[in-house]
């Protein structure tokens, strides 16, 4: 810190470079943690997919279209959780690989998991929107709160199903939640042009 914090070295170590180093370090730590706990995602997926939720009409769109995550973040006006989504979206391939393995084994955990997450989102969205005629305005005003409410509910439900360390479960739930956001199960999809 003596070298970097020295006023004479400000040009050598600009804020953007330091932030880039910090992000790389955090990503390395996150990858290491996930590699040290390879069954963590499977535990979380199993816990959330086995949650019994009262059946209701599934309002999820039948076809998930790929689109830019930045467009969805902007469309929903996400602020506080943008950094979280940016940080964890890199795990999409790892989560998708686990889903593919489960599907190859004949498991329906992926479908159950995503359906449960979508239902939780719709219930929480309903608490905010109610019968309002401009739901998108309300969603934009509360997007970060909605994300955090979904995450909290998933965490509580997953912890009830597992005996794992809540810190480990929290990490796994965050990965799964960001993946569900990318798959249009949480918040609203931007209109196609």
């Amino acid at each position: 810190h003596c070298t970097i914090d020295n006023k004479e070295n400000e040009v050598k170590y600009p804020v953007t470079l330091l932030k880039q180093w910090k992000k790389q370090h955090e990503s390395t730590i996150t990858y290491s943690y996930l590699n040290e706990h390879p069954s963590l995602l499977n535990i979380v997926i199993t816990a959330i997919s086995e949650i019994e939720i009262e059946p209701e009409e599934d309002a999820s769109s039948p076809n998930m279209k790929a689109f830019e995550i930045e467009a969805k973040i902007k469309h929903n006006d996400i602020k506080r959780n943008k950094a979280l989504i940016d940080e964890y979206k890199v795990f999409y391939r790892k989560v998708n690989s686990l889903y593919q393995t489960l599907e190859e084994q004949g498991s329906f955990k992926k479908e159950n998991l995503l359906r449960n997450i979508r239902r939780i989102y719709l219930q929480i969205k309903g608490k905010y929107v109610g019968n309002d005629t401009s739901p998108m305005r309300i969603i934009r005003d509360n997007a970060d709160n909605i994300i955090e409410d979904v995450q909290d509910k998933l965490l509580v439900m997953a912890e009830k199903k597992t005996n794992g360390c809540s810190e480990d479960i929290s990490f796994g739930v965050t990965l799964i939640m960001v993946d569900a956001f990318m798959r249009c199960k949480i918040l609203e999809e931007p209109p196609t042009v």
Side-chain angles (χ1 to χ4, degrees):
H1 73 88
C2 292
T3 304
I4 291 174
D5 291 339
N6 186 335
K7 285 280 189 194
E8 295 173 9
N9 292 329
E10 281 183 352
V11 174
K12 289 182 186 177
Y13 304 104
V15 173
T16 54
L17 177 63
L18 297 177
K19 285 183 178 181
Q20 181 183 3
W21 284 356
K22 180 182 177 190
K23 188 172 182 172
Q24 287 171 343
H25 176 71
E26 288 172 346
S27 291
T28 302
I29 296 297
T30 303
Y31 274 112
S32 297
Y33 187 81
L34 195 55
N35 286 331
E36 289 171 15
H37 302 86
S39 64
L40 177 62
L41 285 176
N42 196 12
I43 291 168
V44 173
I45 288 171
T46 299
I48 296 172
S49 70
E50 291 176 352
I51 294 169
E52 294 294 328
I53 297 179
E54 291 299 315
E56 61 183 57
E57 190 173 321
D58 188 5
S60 61
S61 67
N63 54 352
M64 292 189 312
K65 294 179 247 167
F67 61 90
E68 231 179 274
I69 297 306
E70 289 301 317
K72 185 172 183 185
I73 290 170
K74 185 177 179 180
H75 177 68
N76 288 278
D77 199 22
I78 297 170
K79 293 179 181 81
R80 284 192 317 265
N81 290 291
K82 183 184 182 316
L84 179 82
I85 292 167
D86 287 341
E87 180 71 22
Y88 284 82
K89 70 183 179 187
V90 299
F91 292 102
Y92 175 80
R93 283 195 174 115
K94 189 145 189 108
V95 173
N96 201 47
S97 173
L98 179 56
Y99 286 158
Q100 286 176 339
T101 302
L102 291 170
E103 286 176 344
E104 288 167 5
Q105 296 170 353
S107 173
F108 294 102
K109 289 179 183 178
K110 174 185 171 186
E111 291 80 14
N112 291 341
L113 170 89
L114 294 174
R115 183 175 48 249
N116 283 340
I117 291 173
R118 181 67 180 177
R119 285 183 179 156
I120 290 167
Y121 163 66
L122 292 173
Q123 290 168 351
I124 290 170
K125 172 185 165 183
K127 289 179 185 177
Y128 283 91
V129 173
N131 292 329
D132 197 283
T133 57
S134 301
M136 200 59 223
R137 177 189 51 82
I138 295 171
I139 291 169
R140 285 184 179 124
D141 289 346
N142 294 286
D144 287 295
N145 294 332
I146 291 170
I147 287 172
E148 291 160 9
D149 289 353
V150 169
Q151 184 174 12
D152 290 346
K153 184 153 185 155
L154 288 172
L155 184 58
V156 167
M157 295 171 102
E159 285 177 339
K160 285 181 184 177
K161 286 283 197 177
T162 64
N163 294 328
C165 173
S166 65
E167 186 176 303
D168 291 348
I169 297 299
S170 176
F171 174 72
V173 164
T174 302
L175 289 178
I176 298 301
M177 189 195 65
V178 169
D179 179 76
F181 168 81
M182 293 168 58
R183 294 174 189 269
C184 301
K185 301 302 177 185
I186 299 173
L187 293 178
E188 303 301 308
E189 185 176 347
T192 55
V193 184

